[in-house]
């Protein structure tokens, strides 16, 4: 059974850093495309970043230069290193597996990041 | 990249059909047949219900169907059931390995 479990969220001051983790089971993250999608409180979904199996990574304009996506094959885990955090980064962060047609078939339950100004 | 435009809310009675629109531009919805749809119940993770405009993932009832015309994609839910009440999001590829989501539509089953 495919499962994604995020962790690492919390309350952080503006300008601080946080690293989110997404532990995968039931499939290999290294053989798949993996993404982060966030949702601000009461708002819609916003794509954040994707990493491909060849380690190419792409970012939304709103986080490029501040966030870094990566994979640890030995732990079958996806990460999101978030630096220079801003109040507008406050959101629930979901990891998701990207499949055919740039769609997302499996999602984690999310981890909440709150940035205080 | 601006979010795709969805109606804030739609409603229908059990057994009826509703259609949720998702309007983009000639650079996203109009250019690529890579539109997907997600259902999200309150406090839950999104659920994958449509991809490549009109293809249903395994396990999604055929009451759900998708289509596209020009810069607008649509999700139609027929034979509405109480459990269909949720927020629905469309998503489109926009090039450069990036996607954009719609603002979401709240479906109320009356």
């Amino acid at each position: 059974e495919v499962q994604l479990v995020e962790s690492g969220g919390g309350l952080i001051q503006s300008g601080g850093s946080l690293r989110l983790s997404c532990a995968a089971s039931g499939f290999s993250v290294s053989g798949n495309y993996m993404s982060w999608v966030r949702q601000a409180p009461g708002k819609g979904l916003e794509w954040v970043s994707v990493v491909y199996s060849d380690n190419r990574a792409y970012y939304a304009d709103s986080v490029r230069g501040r966030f870094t996506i990566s994979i640890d094959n030995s732990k079958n885990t996806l990460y999101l290193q978030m630096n220079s955090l801003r109040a507008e980064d406050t959101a629930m962060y979901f990891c998701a597996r990207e499949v055919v047609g740039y769609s997302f078939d499996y999602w984690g339950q999310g981890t909440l990041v709150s940035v205080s100004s | 990249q601006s979010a795709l435009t969805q109606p804030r809310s739609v409603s229908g009675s059990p057994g009826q059909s509703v259609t949720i629109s998702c309007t983009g531009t000639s650079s996203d919805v109009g250019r690529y047949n890579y539109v997907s749809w997600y259902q999200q119940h309150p406090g839950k993770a999104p659920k994958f219900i449509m991809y490549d405009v009109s293809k249903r993932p395994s396990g999604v009832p055929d009451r759900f169907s998708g289509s596209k015309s020009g810069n607008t994609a649509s999700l139609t839910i027929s034979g509405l059931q109480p459990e269909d009440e949720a927020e629905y999001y469309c998503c489109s590829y926009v090039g450069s390995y990036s996607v954009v989501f719609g603002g979401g539509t709240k479906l109320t089953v009356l």
Side-chain angles (χ1 to χ4, degrees):
Chain A
E1 179 192 5
V2 171
Q3 197 170 11
L4 297 168
V5 179
E6 302 94 335
S7 60
L11 178 62
I12 187 79
Q13 283 195 327
S14 180
S17 297
L18 211 55
R19 188 178 81 159
L20 307 183
S21 301
C22 169
S25 57
F27 74 102
S28 170
V29 295
S30 63
N32 285 270
Y33 306 158
M34 298 297 299
S35 281
W36 288 97
V37 176
R38 68 184 181 183
Q39 186 171 35
K43 302 297 184 181
L45 301 172
E46 180 189 14
W47 175 77
V48 173
S49 180
V50 62
V51 61
Y52 288 120
S53 52
D54 58 2
N55 287 319
R56 285 179 294 140
Y58 300 90
Y59 301 91
D61 290 344
S62 56
V63 306
R64 188 177 295 115
R66 300 187 298 122
F67 290 10
T68 303
I69 192 171
S70 63
I71 284 176
D72 185 331
N73 294 332
S74 66
K75 296 182 178 179
N76 209 31
T77 297
L78 172 72
Y79 298 101
L80 186 67
Q81 177 67 43
M82 305 186 297
N83 299 330
S84 303
L85 282 162
R86 308 166 179 166
E88 55 265 35
D89 295 319
T90 293
M92 182 72 77
Y93 284 73
F94 297 97
C95 64
R97 185 173 75 172
E98 186 174 309
V99 289
V100 61
Y102 305 94
S103 58
F104 308 98
D105 65 345
Y106 285 97
W107 298 65
Q109 84 290 348
T111 186
L112 183 62
V113 173
S114 296
V115 184
S116 63
S117 53
Chain B
Q1 184 67 43
S2 300
L4 305 175
T5 300
Q6 297 181 235
R8 291 291 297 271
S9 64
V10 297
S11 63
S13 300
Q16 289 187 332
S17 295
V18 294
T19 296
I20 299 171
S21 61
C22 169
T23 301
T25 69
S26 57
S27 297
D28 40 60
V29 175
R31 182 170 184 177
Y32 304 101
N33 287 324
Y34 295 137
V35 176
S36 53
W37 289 88
Y38 304 87
Q39 176 193 65
Q40 186 179 35
H41 288 105
K44 300 295 188 180
K47 177 187 175 185
F48 182 44
I49 60 171
M50 197 72 61
Y51 69 101
D52 290 356
V53 175
S54 60
K55 297 177 181 176
R56 281 188 314 277
S58 174
V60 175
D62 59 7
R63 302 187 295 105
F64 292 83
S65 61
S67 62
K68 190 184 88 167
S69 178
N71 297 337
T72 298
S74 298
L75 175 73
T76 298
I77 309 171
S78 58
L80 269 179
Q81 298 184 2
E83 58 264 33
D84 297 333
E85 184 163 298
E87 194 86 16
Y88 290 83
Y89 293 92
C90 61
C91 177
S92 175
Y93 182 61
V94 298
S96 301
Y97 308 100
S98 303
V99 298
V100 65
F101 286 92
T105 297
K106 179 173 175 53
L107 168 62
T108 301
V109 180
L110 302 171

